[in-house]
């Protein structure tokens, strides 16, 4: 028997809610896993993987899921409160990323090693710079009057699109980091493959959730 449109819609929203909840758990679990492996504070380098996973796996994921109709942890909050919460998490993410970048740069300087000579280093640098510009672009949504020649709807669309690109860059940086000598020595076997799946899973969920959250807002607006 064919499913009705209403039933299909319920199944679709239920699946999105399940995958959204999975993204919450995976982003948190991966960050905790990296923290256990790195043991932040045990060395100067140990802060780098911890801060980067905290920035791009947990904080940025939570910031983007804030607007999900099914997966947001702030479902009952106003749109304004969600925007402020999103911006605060993104700012914390950027601070962690900048600190992580500064620490690894200083650590390599102390050891006399070249920096930004690997794909991981170059991607990480590009991601941090991109996240900085993205946060500055977010100010235009907090204060849209600053952008007189742009409509609010266009600003939201461009910010959401560029935000997805930034998140994918962050996930790519994490995945390249998991190919580094430190991570491959510390994490081996099935654990390595499961770790690699974490940013892949969250990026797929985020792409679906954010794009549909924007379409959802378009549907409910008069």
């Amino acid at each position: 028997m064919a499913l009705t449109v209403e039933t299909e819609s319920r199944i679709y929203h239920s699946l999105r809610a399940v995958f959204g909840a999975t993204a919450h758990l995976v982003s948190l679990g991966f960050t905790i896993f990296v923290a256990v492996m790195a043991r932040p504070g045990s060395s100067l380098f140990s802060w780098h993987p911890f801060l980067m996973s905290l920035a791009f796996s947990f904080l940025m994921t939570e910031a983007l899921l804030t607007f999900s109709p099914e997966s947001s942890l702030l479902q009952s909050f106003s749109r304004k409160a969600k925007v402020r919460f999103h911006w605060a998490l993104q700012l914390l993410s950027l601070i962690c990323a900048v600190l992580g970048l500064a620490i690894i740069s200083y650590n390599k300087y102390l050891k006399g090693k070249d920096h930004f000579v690997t794909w991981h280093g170059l991607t990480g640098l590009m991601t941090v710079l991109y996240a900085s510009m993205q946060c500055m672009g977010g100010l235009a949504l907090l204060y849209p009057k600053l952008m007189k020649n742009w409509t609010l709807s266009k600003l939201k669309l461009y910010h959401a699109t560029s935000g997805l690109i930034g998140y994918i860059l962050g996930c790519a940086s994490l995945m390249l980091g998991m190919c580094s000598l430190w991570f491959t020595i510390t994490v081996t076997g099935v654990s390595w493959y499961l770790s690699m799946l974490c940013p892949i899973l969250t990026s797929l969920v985020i792409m679906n959730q954010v794009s549909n959250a924007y379409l959802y807002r378009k549907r409910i607006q008069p």
Side-chain angles (χ1 to χ4, degrees):
M1 185 173 63
L3 296 175
T4 63
V5 175
E6 183 179 355
T7 301
E8 288 182 347
S9 179
R10 287 179 179 177
I11 294 175
Y12 177 71
H13 284 288
S14 296
L15 287 174
R16 278 170 48 78
V18 169
F19 282 112
T22 302
H24 284 298
L25 295 175
V26 169
S27 64
L28 177 60
F30 178 77
T31 303
I32 293 175
F33 176 74
V34 172
V36 172
M37 294 298 102
R39 292 181 299 143
S42 59
S43 66
L44 180 61
F45 169 81
S46 66
W47 288 104
H48 173 69
F50 169 68
L51 288 171
M52 288 306 195
S53 61
L54 179 62
F56 296 119
S57 177
F58 180 65
L59 291 173
M60 191 172 287
T61 300
E62 291 301 321
L64 294 177
L65 286 176
T66 299
F67 300 111
S68 172
E70 297 87 6
S71 308
S72 175
L73 298 178
L74 305 179
Q75 292 279 4
S76 59
F77 285 67
S78 66
R79 169 74 182 174
K80 183 177 180 180
K82 290 180 180 179
V83 169
R84 300 288 179 176
F85 186 73
H86 167 81
W87 203 88
L89 286 182
Q90 290 288 54
L91 183 59
L92 285 175
S93 173
L94 178 61
I95 291 173
C96 289
V98 170
L99 286 175
L101 181 64
I103 286 172
I104 192 62
S105 298
Y106 184 61
N107 186 65
K108 286 184 176 291
Y109 168 76
L110 292 178
K111 295 185 177 182
K113 295 182 177 181
D114 294 329
H115 200 24
F116 307 126
V117 294
T118 65
W119 283 110
H120 172 58
L122 290 172
T123 305
L125 174 62
M126 183 169 60
T127 302
V128 173
L129 293 176
Y130 191 97
S132 301
M133 292 186 294
Q134 179 69 6
C135 278
M136 292 178 64
L139 289 173
L141 291 177
L142 285 177
Y143 307 101
K145 292 183 180 180
L146 297 176
M147 306 291 290
K148 297 180 180 180
N149 296 326
W150 296 78
T151 63
L152 185 58
S153 60
K154 282 187 177 181
L155 286 174
K156 288 180 179 179
L157 176 60
Y158 294 151
H159 185 70
T161 303
S162 61
L164 282 177
I165 295 173
Y167 185 79
I168 293 172
L169 278 174
C171 288
S173 180
L174 290 176
M175 294 173 69
L176 289 170
M178 285 183 273
C179 296
S180 66
L181 181 62
W182 171 79
F183 197 88
T184 53
I185 291 177
T186 308
V187 183
T188 59
V190 177
S191 297
W192 184 87
Y193 290 98
L194 291 176
S195 299
M196 188 65 74
L197 282 175
C198 289
I200 294 176
L201 174 63
T202 55
S203 62
L204 290 174
V205 173
I206 288 297
M207 283 190 287
N208 178 269
Q209 296 273 348
V210 172
S211 59
N212 279 275
Y214 177 78
L215 293 175
Y216 175 79
R217 291 198 301 270
K218 294 289 287 184
R219 287 197 300 267
I220 64 175
Q221 287 175 353

